[in-house]
Amino acid sequence: MSAVTDVVASADQPTLADFGSDVWWIVLVKIVGIFGVLVAMTLFAIVFERKVVARMQQRTGPNRVGPRGYLQSLADGLKLAFKEDVMPALADKPVYFLAPVIATIPAFLAFSVIPLGPTVSIFGERTPLQLTDAPIGVLIVLACSAMGVYGIVLAGWASGSTYPLLGGLRSAAQMVSYEIAMGLSIVAVFLYAGSMSTSEIVAAQADGTSLFGGTGNGPGWFAVLLPVSFVIYVIAVVGETNRAPFDLPEAESELVGGFHTEYSSLKFALFFLAEYVNMVTVSALAATLFLGGWRAPWPISVWDGANTGWWPLLWFFGKVVAALFVFIWLRGTLPRLRYDQFMRFGWKVLVPTALVWILVVATMRTVSREAGLDGGVVAVLVGVPLALLVIAGLLIASRRRNRDTRLGARAAAAGALQPTGAEVLPPRGSASAAGGFPVPPLDLVVPPSPRLRTREPVGAGAPAPAREEDVDV
């Protein structure tokens, strides 16, 4: 703890006392700078995603607009701005207009507490590379991400259409569920860092943890010390940002385009902007909470000037780009989940695992304090084995749950006519014995449509309707 105290007391490490005393023009420069950085990162992320996915699929990707196609996202934004703005006749016009604004503004506000670097000199004024901070800085990010749900729900409701409403409800249930898992994964970081301030969490990861009473320091990143929290956070933010393979509110095969089906022009662009800004924000939060923040990774950290001046901006955005690559990597490799699988995984796997991990971390901290052991010793001897035990338990449970499917796939690959040894289809009108979905009766008779000239029922069990030319007059 003394090492952390020395880091916090250093000249370049911001503290809570350093915020709230900047002159007005410094605050204005920071606000404009953060806005410009987020817009630039959005333009970069769009081109980056298209280039990386194209490389994964062995194709060229955008290569026409600008050098090597790098201005394609700027051209797409200008195209959206000049497209016709169509509003549905049944839309609730004030809410329809405000919904994309409500979804976009919290995405920008959440970045206000993210530390981008140490204290630097801007035109002779010493100021931290962070707009503001608070003793509960991380909770501000969670509050802003929760506010974004309102924009999505209101967009689906105000469109006056069924499919956007279903997409909005799906998105609300999905984001609330996975935001709970994300919040629980961060609790372990609070316990380890002893603070909810983002700048102090970065300071807590500065010099690592003393291992076995030695003079050297072990890993300081919470991604290494708290691996279960890091894995849960990564999975939860992918679901919370509606990204593939968890982009179920926008499943084209089921709900057309989701909550923004009826939006066009700049209003659609605002939803698009909010999604990518949220990606950048959760990536920056991951770098802050788990990857050491703006501090240089090893072995660059051996250099004395690595964590001073403007160099930390390079390390920070390098970590953010690496996190964005993970988002893109998942989109290019994993298929979309079914909605019930997705929700079951969140409530029955992520949330219980996060709760158990919080108890484990609290136990580790208590043992470390009461027994006078180093935190690194407890993490290596207690935390790592328990993390491996939790992961092994999840793998065994998943393997047992998918045993019938796996055996059926093997039998089908071997040429068996009945892979599972039972009926392929469940009985009509009932759920399958293996836990499948209800199947409607195959002899269902559909009532006649009033728009048709014939008035005979149609369906598998109904006689074929007679055409007018076949009827004798």
Side-chain angles (χ1 to χ4, degrees):
M1 187 63 66
S2 60
V4 175
T5 305
D6 295 338
V7 171
V8 173
S10 63
D12 293 330
Q13 173 62 45
T15 62
L16 291 175
D18 296 327
F19 297 96
S21 58
D22 290 329
V23 295
W24 65 271
W25 59 269
I26 287 288
V27 176
L28 184 61
V29 167
K30 290 183 179 180
I31 293 174
V32 175
I34 289 177
F35 180 81
V37 164
L38 289 178
V39 173
M41 287 296 295
T42 299
L43 297 177
F44 165 78
I46 295 172
V47 175
F48 185 53
E49 179 172 11
R50 297 180 65 176
K51 286 284 189 180
V52 171
V53 173
R55 185 62 179 263
M56 291 179 176
Q57 299 172 349
Q58 296 185 353
R59 54 185 178 85
T60 305
N63 62 351
R64 296 294 182 185
V65 184
R68 302 179 62 88
Y70 292 137
L71 298 180
Q72 183 64 54
S73 57
L74 181 61
D76 292 340
L78 293 176
K79 178 192 70 174
L80 281 175
F82 288 101
K83 288 180 73 71
E84 182 182 2
D85 188 7
V86 179
M87 180 177 293
L90 299 178
D92 188 329
K93 292 181 174 55
V95 181
Y96 180 87
F97 177 78
L98 289 175
V101 179
I102 296 175
T104 306
I105 290 178
F108 283 90
L109 290 179
F111 212 82
S112 61
V113 295
I114 300 296
L116 306 181
T119 301
V120 297
S121 176
I122 301 179
F123 301 113
E125 294 284 341
R126 297 284 296 176
T127 181
L129 282 177
Q130 182 177 352
L131 180 57
T132 186
D133 198 4
I136 54 170
V138 180
L139 298 186
I140 296 176
V141 180
L142 297 179
C144 291
S145 62
M147 288 296 297
V149 181
Y150 287 94
I152 292 175
V153 174
L154 291 176
W157 177 80
S159 298
S161 180
T162 302
Y163 284 125
L165 178 60
L166 293 176
L169 294 177
R170 267 193 174 191
S171 183
Q174 170 178 331
M175 295 179 72
V176 170
S177 302
Y178 276 75
E179 194 168 352
I180 293 174
M182 182 179 72
L184 291 176
S185 68
I186 299 175
V187 172
V189 176
F190 297 158
L191 292 175
Y192 234 85
S195 174
M196 296 183 185
S197 167
T198 52
S199 58
E200 293 183 358
I201 290 175
V202 172
Q205 304 174 71
D207 291 330
T209 306
S210 176
L211 290 178
F212 303 102
T215 57
N217 287 332
W221 289 5
F222 289 146
V224 179
L225 297 177
L226 304 171
V228 177
S229 294
F230 182 59
V231 172
I232 294 175
Y233 178 86
V234 170
I235 297 174
V237 297
V238 175
E240 205 262 342
T241 52
N242 293 335
R243 292 285 302 180
F246 302 151
D247 55 339
L248 299 174
E250 305 170 19
E252 293 87 354
S253 60
E254 304 171 23
L255 299 174
V256 194
F259 57 88
H260 54 63
T261 300
E262 303 291 349
Y263 281 86
S264 61
S265 189
L266 280 178
K267 297 182 183 65
F268 175 79
L270 286 179
F271 281 119
F272 205 63
L273 177 65
E275 177 181 335
Y276 278 90
V277 171
N278 279 324
M279 284 176 55
V280 175
T281 300
V282 297
S283 299
L285 188 62
T288 300
L289 298 180
F290 296 100
L291 303 179
W294 47 264
R295 294 190 169 272
W298 188 88
I300 304 176
S301 58
V302 177
W303 173 38
D304 293 335
N307 295 320
T308 59
W310 296 89
W311 285 107
L313 282 176
L314 180 61
W315 324 135
F316 178 79
F317 283 108
K319 297 172 185 178
V320 172
V321 171
L324 291 175
F325 175 78
V326 174
F327 277 100
I328 300 168
W329 186 15
L330 294 177
R331 178 176 182 176
T333 54
L334 296 181
R336 178 182 287 134
L337 272 71
R338 270 199 337 253
Y339 189 71
D340 64 304
Q341 294 174 331
F342 176 59
M343 297 300 288
R344 184 186 304 115
F345 178 74
W347 284 106
K348 293 188 176 181
V349 177
L350 289 186
V351 173
T353 303
L355 291 173
V356 172
W357 180 246
I358 290 173
L359 294 177
V360 171
V361 173
T363 302
M364 291 165 50
R365 299 298 290 170
T366 303
V367 171
S368 175
R369 183 176 62 253
E370 298 296 333
L373 298 176
D374 294 329
V377 176
V378 179
V380 172
L381 298 182
V382 180
V384 174
L386 286 177
L388 295 176
L389 184 62
V390 170
I391 294 174
L394 292 176
L395 292 177
I396 293 173
S398 175
R399 188 172 181 83
R400 287 184 176 179
R401 183 178 182 83
N402 298 326
R403 180 177 180 275
D404 294 337
T405 303
R406 188 171 64 255
L407 294 178
R410 289 179 182 176
L417 297 179
Q418 292 288 349
T420 60
E423 290 187 8
V424 177
L425 291 177
R428 294 176 179 176
S430 64
S432 69
F437 291 93
V439 177
L442 301 182
D443 55 353
L444 179 66
V445 177
V446 182
S449 172
R451 293 188 297 272
L452 298 179
R453 299 182 65 182
T454 60
R455 293 295 184 268
E456 299 295 333
V458 295
R467 296 177 297 179
E468 289 187 2
E469 57 267 22
D470 296 336
V471 178
D472 296 334
V473 180

